[in-house]
Amino acid sequence: MDDHGRGSGPRPPDGGEDPLDPGTPDPLPYEGVWRFTAPAVDASVPQARHAVRDLLYRQEVPVSDDLVQGLLLIVSELVTNAVRHAALLSPMLAVEVAVGAEWVRVSVEDNHPYRPTALEAAHSETGGRGLLLVREVTREAGGVCDVEHTSSGGKVIWAALPLKSVHVS
């Protein structure tokens, strides 16, 4: 499977870092990449949110409560989108949490080939704003988000946020 932005930073340079390079510092205790799969069903939304929250606390990632809430909202929205819009072609989805020394990235991958579009929903509608919300939460935290295609023909949607709080006006 391709790297798809899952290297040592939110957007690693081509080729990534050489793990045998003696100039590379040892990872901090909380650094790593964790991935789990779940069926594309409604019950997976709270399960994914709880799994990400528990992982951050278990690994003792130095995250503020505000950052945790933002990450959990992003996970909820991305998993909900995969369940609602991709389940027919992708009965399973994958959630990945990657933590570096200065950032944390969450991503949701499914096998549906179509790239999602952030739509402006009418005020009377109760849904349809998930990707807009993900973009706004990511932007306010000083992070980046993107959608990329996978080598298997699906897509991965990810958001990377700095561990240090950055509020963008």
Side-chain angles (χ1 to χ4, degrees):
M1 180 176 289
D2 288 336
D3 187 28
H4 296 295
R6 295 186 183 116
S8 60
R11 299 286 301 197
D14 290 337
E17 294 180 10
D18 182 358
L20 301 178
D21 179 5
T24 303
D26 290 335
L28 295 168
Y30 58 81
E31 288 184 88
V33 178
W34 296 267
R35 182 177 175 91
F36 60 90
T37 58
V41 297
D42 289 337
S44 293
V45 177
Q47 290 172 351
R49 189 173 52 245
H50 292 273
V52 170
R53 182 199 61 209
D54 294 348
L55 172 71
L56 293 171
Y57 291 128
R58 184 176 65 246
Q59 292 304 123
E60 298 181 6
V61 178
V63 289
S64 67
D65 289 340
D66 287 344
L67 184 64
V68 170
Q69 293 308 313
L71 286 167
L72 297 180
L73 178 60
I74 290 169
V75 168
S76 293
E77 293 298 333
L78 296 181
V79 173
T80 296
N81 283 350
V83 168
R84 288 188 180 162
H85 304 293
L88 186 61
L89 295 178
S90 183
M92 295 296 288
L93 57 90
V95 176
E96 185 174 277
V97 179
V99 182
E102 299 176 0
W103 53 266
V104 59
R105 184 183 55 242
V106 293
S107 63
V108 175
E109 182 177 338
D110 63 56
N111 289 323
H112 197 288
Y114 298 117
R115 186 180 181 107
T117 304
L119 302 172
E120 295 288 339
H123 291 290
S124 61
E125 295 181 33
T126 58
R129 296 179 187 87
L131 289 178
L132 290 174
L133 191 55
V134 167
R135 280 189 193 164
E136 186 61 21
V137 169
T138 302
R139 184 190 69 78
E140 284 186 11
V144 293
C145 60
D146 202 2
V147 180
E148 299 173 356
H149 289 285
T150 63
S151 61
S152 62
K155 67 183 166 303
V156 60
I157 306 173
W158 58 268
L161 307 179
L163 290 176
K164 303 290 187 254
S165 180
V166 176
H167 292 285
V168 179
S169 300

